């Protein structure tokens, strides 16, 4: 047997293996299960739950968008589904890289007779662990004939284990940065009149945030949703910001949050502001928020510094406008206590079955 014969035999075996693995529905179905890319149906939304939110359904989940969803590839539907929904850190090392790969256009839901649910939405799945990175999701430009937002999801692979996204730093380069930012307002597109929209689903995640600075109006929050047609659907999440607000929804953005907790935030747990912004809060907890920067209370020196800051805050408010005082007090990088669990200003919010 010569080298040429060995080479031909190796190529033949490789072709057989490639064909068998590429076309094996069972193999790729198992890959989807092992990486958590398909969920047990007990974690999927029930028809009753969907009916609850008929009046507050994001554009991307509307019947019109489902009707226009593209068909997945026919050759191996489970293989196509696997590659469509990246898993971190198996397929990509970082969430940012996975989001760049993940498609924003819904597909037809796979038919499966088992107790598994295959999502129509492109989904970034996170293995159990702590992911130390900042997530920025920008709006997608509406094309001619667009009937709804592009949509993307981020969730834990296994709901019973969860996953944590953490942006926790004292660096001045990250001053007042949010942990997760979802916005349709880009300065470079404002003058062009480009209309953007994005819908984001977050499920079974913990968002943990702390950055330097104390500018609550400048992004110091765990989650910021900003701009018209920016829509977020949160389910079974925990949100904490040890330096600022928990969740901020502004400028006609929309939030639907259910079965989640916003807790231990230095400032307001959930702020909803501006005309046109709206939220639907169901079965949530907003507890232990608004007590100020807790780290300052962990030592005698910290407590003395906080008392000094509060005295300066009171003096500034007595001798200047509240806005001027806030701008000058920001230099201390300390959030004074006295904030709210939920603060709604000029917006519309439905709250039901929740503890505040």
């Amino acid at each position: 047997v010569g080298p040429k014969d060995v080479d031909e035999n190796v190529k033949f075996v490789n072709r057989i293996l490639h064909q068998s693995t590429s076309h094996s529905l069972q193999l790729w179905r198992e890959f989807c299960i092992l990486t958590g890319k398909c969920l047990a149906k007990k974690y999927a939304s029930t028809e009753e739950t969907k009916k609850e939110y008929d009046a507050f359904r994001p554009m991307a989940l509307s019947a019109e968008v489902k009707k226009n969803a593209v068909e997945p590839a026919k050759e191996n539907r489970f293989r196509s589904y696997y590659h469509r929904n990246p898993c971190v850190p198996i397929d990509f090392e970082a969430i940012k890289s996975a989001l760049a790969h993940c498609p924003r256009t819904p597909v037809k839901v796979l038919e499966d007779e088992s107790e598994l649910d295959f999502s129509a939405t492109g989904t970034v799945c996170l293995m159990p662990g702590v992911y130390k990175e900042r997530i920025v999701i920008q709006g997608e430009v509406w094309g001619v004939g667009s009937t709804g937002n592009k949509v993307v999801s981020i969730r834990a692979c296994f709901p019973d284990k969860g996953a944590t996204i953490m942006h926790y730093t004292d660096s001045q380069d990250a001053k007042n940065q949010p942990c997760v930012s979802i916005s349709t307002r880009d300065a470079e597109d404002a003058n062009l009149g480009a209309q953007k929209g994005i819908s984001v689903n977050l499920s079974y995640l913990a968002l943990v945030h702390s950055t330097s600075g104390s500018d609550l109006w400048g992004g110091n929050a765990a989650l910021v949703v900003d701009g018209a047609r920016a829509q977020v659907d949160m389910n079974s999440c925990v949100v904490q910001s040890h330096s600022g607000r928990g969740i901020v929804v502004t400028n006609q953005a929309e939030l639907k949050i259910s079965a989640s907790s916003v807790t231990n935030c230095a400032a307001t747990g959930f702020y909803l502001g501006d005309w046109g912004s709206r939220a639907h809060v169901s079965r949530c907890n907003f507890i232990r928020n608004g007590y100020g920067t807790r780290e300052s209370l962990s030592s005698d020196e910290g407590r003395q510094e906080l008392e000094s800051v509060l005295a300066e805050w009171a003096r500034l408010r007595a001798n200047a406008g509240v806005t001027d005082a806030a701008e000058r007090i920001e230099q201390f990088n300390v959030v004074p206590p006295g904030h709210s669990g939920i603060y709604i200003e000029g917006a519309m919010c439905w709250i039901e079955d929740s503890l505040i």
Side-chain angles (χ1 to χ4, degrees):
V1 179
K4 183 176 181 181
D5 296 324
V6 173
D7 186 55
E8 290 298 327
N9 286 328
V10 169
K11 289 181 179 178
F12 174 75
V13 172
N14 284 340
R15 284 196 298 271
I16 296 298
L17 289 174
H18 179 267
Q19 292 175 2
S20 61
T21 56
S22 297
H23 294 90
S24 173
L25 294 177
Q26 185 61 33
L27 177 65
W28 286 98
R29 182 177 179 276
E30 288 299 318
F31 284 164
C32 292
I33 295 173
L34 292 174
T35 54
K37 297 185 179 184
C38 55
L39 281 176
K41 287 186 177 177
K42 65 179 180 178
Y43 293 113
S45 298
T46 62
E47 288 301 321
E48 290 74 15
T49 303
K50 291 176 182 177
K51 290 178 183 178
E52 289 181 26
Y53 300 112
D54 277 345
F56 190 83
R57 182 174 295 172
M59 301 177 201
L61 302 181
S62 66
E64 184 68 21
V65 172
K66 290 182 179 179
K67 177 181 177 182
N68 295 331
V70 299
E71 290 281 1
K74 297 290 186 181
E75 67 275 5
N76 186 331
R77 60 187 188 276
F78 293 112
R79 182 171 179 265
S80 299
Y81 182 86
Y82 180 93
H83 288 297
R84 176 181 171 82
N85 302 286
C87 177
V88 180
I90 294 177
D91 301 319
F92 293 90
E93 293 184 357
I95 301 173
K96 180 180 180 180
S97 302
L99 281 170
H101 167 84
C102 195
R104 273 30 175 195
T105 304
V107 298
K108 301 292 185 182
V109 179
L110 292 180
E111 298 293 335
D112 192 84
E113 297 179 357
S114 68
E115 292 301 314
L116 298 174
D117 180 76
F118 292 84
S119 173
T121 302
T123 304
V124 175
C125 302
L126 307 182
M127 282 290 183
V130 178
Y131 299 87
K132 297 181 179 180
E133 54 181 303
R134 180 186 176 219
I135 308 302
V136 178
I137 301 176
Q138 296 179 336
E140 302 277 340
V141 177
W142 279 25
V144 177
S146 296
T147 57
N149 284 355
K150 298 294 182 67
V151 58
V152 68
S153 299
I154 305 175
R155 67 165 174 82
C157 292
F158 309 109
D160 56 336
K161 295 181 174 61
T164 298
I165 301 175
M166 176 182 288
H167 187 46
Y168 216 92
T169 176
D170 292 329
S171 171
Q172 291 299 307
D173 294 335
K175 189 173 183 178
N176 295 315
Q177 286 183 348
C179 178
V180 178
S181 174
I182 300 165
S183 176
T184 58
R185 302 175 72 222
D186 298 327
E188 61 270 20
D189 295 321
N191 296 328
L192 300 178
Q195 295 189 3
K196 290 188 173 185
I198 190 69
S199 294
V200 180
N201 302 322
L202 304 174
S203 305
Y204 313 112
L205 301 173
L207 306 182
V208 181
H209 168 265
S210 179
T211 58
S212 60
S214 58
D215 187 357
L216 305 181
W217 301 100
N220 202 320
L223 170 64
V224 172
V225 188
D226 184 56
R229 295 175 297 279
Q231 302 171 330
V232 172
D233 187 341
M234 296 186 73
N235 177 51
S236 302
C237 293
V238 177
V239 179
Q240 299 181 48
S241 175
H242 299 155
S243 64
R245 292 168 169 164
I247 301 174
V248 175
V249 179
T250 53
N251 291 304
Q252 303 180 41
E254 301 177 13
L255 172 73
K256 183 177 78 175
I257 180 171
S258 60
S260 299
S261 295
V262 180
T263 179
N264 293 323
C265 296
T268 301
F270 171 40
Y271 175 84
L272 176 66
D274 301 322
W275 179 89
S277 301
R278 61 177 183 166
H280 190 156
V281 179
S282 175
R283 297 174 290 119
C284 292
N285 298 314
F286 298 85
I287 55 177
R288 296 192 301 275
N289 297 301
Y291 288 98
T293 307
R294 289 175 174 270
E295 291 183 358
S296 298
L297 300 177
S298 59
S299 65
D300 291 339
E301 181 180 351
R303 283 190 289 271
Q304 291 176 3
E305 179 185 1
L306 181 57
E307 289 176 0
S308 174
V309 169
L310 292 178
E312 179 69 4
W313 171 255
R315 187 186 66 80
L316 289 172
R317 291 193 65 180
N319 299 321
V322 174
T323 303
D324 295 335
E327 290 177 353
R328 293 177 62 185
I329 203 71
E330 201 271 332
Q331 63 181 306
F332 292 100
N333 287 341
V334 172
V335 176
H339 298 268
S340 310
I342 292 181
Y343 195 99
I344 303 168
E345 187 174 28
M348 186 176 293
C349 186
W350 293 262
I351 302 176
E352 57 185 8
D353 302 329
S354 297
L355 172 65
I356 304 173

